[in-house]
Amino acid sequence: MSDTLTAASTLAGRGIRLSRRNLDAVITSMMLPIMLMLVFVYFFGGAIETGTRYVTYVVPGVLVLCAGFGAAGTALSVSEDMRLGVVDRFRTLDVGGTPFLAGHVAAAVTRNVLSTTLVLGAAFAIGFRPTASPAGWLAAIGLLLAYLTAVSWLSAAIGLITRTPEAAGAVTFFMMFLPYPSSAFVPIGTMPSWLHGFAEHQPVTPLIESMRGLLLDRPVGASPWIALGWCAGLLALAVTASGFLFRLRTR
């Protein structure tokens, strides 16, 4: 167990170092959610009625969108390592699939924490004023970290499925798109009726509703538990699938 943790932490450090060498991609993944937030707040916010200031409404959705952008990079990194044969070198050092993938996921979560902090800083600069208690902040951060971990591991599994980084980027587009048909940017009631069922019952809607309620100190009902259930299910699926796919790709 200790050897696995040591290998995973070493590979996580490797992933962070590789990110520093690819600063253009890192900066893009960090700045794009901020630019989208500014576009929604200043271009569309005046036309959207949410019952509160639009910047207050939209920030939780942007944080989840930011997680999707960051997780997509995990698929590209895993796919690139598989394509270049880096994994074969690790296997000669008795590094298995679990520490290899865990290292990529840990590096992705670290990058996402930084980008989320930047998004929050920009949100405060344009007028975001949450009223959460310390417990509310901790709960919101915990939910976001659970989602970050789940989608990062899912992205790693996608990187094992796809044969090229380009294909990995195309498949992970779905994760980046998922916040749009949700309550992230507009109330679900304003969407076409045929879209309501999907928007209400997809993974990110309870997460966004939970974070919005926690950050604004409003009742959240069962939404946090539903969000955690989705995260746990996605994580279990991703870990199981990635283990099988790693063995399949490296046998």
Side-chain angles (χ1 to χ4, degrees), residues 17 139 160 167 223 227:
R17 289 192 297 272
L160 292 171
S223 292

Side-chain angles (χ1 to χ4, degrees), residues 202-225:
Q202 59 131 312
V204 302
T205 294
L207 174 66
I208 292 169
E209 291 297 324
S210 299
M211 292 180 60
R212 186 176 288 133
L214 290 167
L215 292 176
L216 300 181
D217 199 20
R218 296 175 179 173
V220 293
S223 292
W225 299 111

